Amino acid sequence: QVQLVESGGGSVQAGGSLRLSCAASGTLYSRHCMAWFRQAPGKEREKVAAVCTGDTRPNYADSVKGRFTISHDNAKVTVLLQMNSLKPEDSGMYYCALSASLPPEYEYWGEGTQVTVSS
């Protein structure tokens, strides 16, 4: 089993920055993918950014390209999401997810951390 714990959410004004952190513990795998998803009320869950071990190029949703950066520490199995130039539409619950399989299936999830961006 894998446990994921997110931190770093909060409230910020438009144009501001936040950094989310996710730490994994439990039975970990040398090859894995980690990602951040978000979900706003009344909207479908969206994959924001993802990175896999050995990746040189993480992938991002078009809506966050150039503003968000995902970074991954393989040894500590942590993933960070640096969010800059935040917009009100970035608000929502952000979830960390981990996949022990490739292609990724994201079978493990954290409980989420709230991000609120005010205009």
Side-chain angles (χ1 to χ4, degrees):
Q1 275 290 43
V2 174
Q3 295 80 43
L4 301 173
V5 178
E6 303 103 332
S7 61
S11 297
V12 66
Q13 288 191 328
S17 298
L18 284 173
R19 188 175 74 168
L20 306 183
S21 177
C22 174
S25 60
T27 303
L28 302 174
Y29 308 89
S30 58
R31 288 181 59 81
H32 56 269
C33 296
M34 296 188 78
W36 288 95
F37 291 76
R38 68 185 179 190
Q39 187 166 23
K43 294 188 176 181
E44 292 187 356
R45 186 172 59 194
E46 171 190 26
K47 187 171 68 176
V48 174
V51 62
C52 299
T53 52
D55 266 351
T56 58
R57 297 178 63 181
N59 61 79
Y60 298 92
D62 288 343
S63 57
V64 307
K65 282 181 180 177
R67 300 187 298 121
F68 289 13
T69 302
I70 188 170
S71 58
H72 181 218
D73 184 326
N74 288 346
K76 297 179 181 179
V77 198
T78 60
V79 64
L80 303 177
L81 185 68
Q82 178 67 43
M83 305 186 295
N84 298 327
S85 301
L86 282 162
K87 305 175 181 180
E89 51 264 42
D90 293 319
S91 298
M93 187 68 77
Y94 281 68
Y95 298 92
C96 175
L98 183 146
S99 175
S101 58
L102 292 174
E105 296 181 352
Y106 298 111
E107 57 270 37
Y108 302 104
W109 292 82
E111 293 189 352
T113 184
Q114 179 69 39
V115 170
T116 303
V117 184
S118 58
S119 57

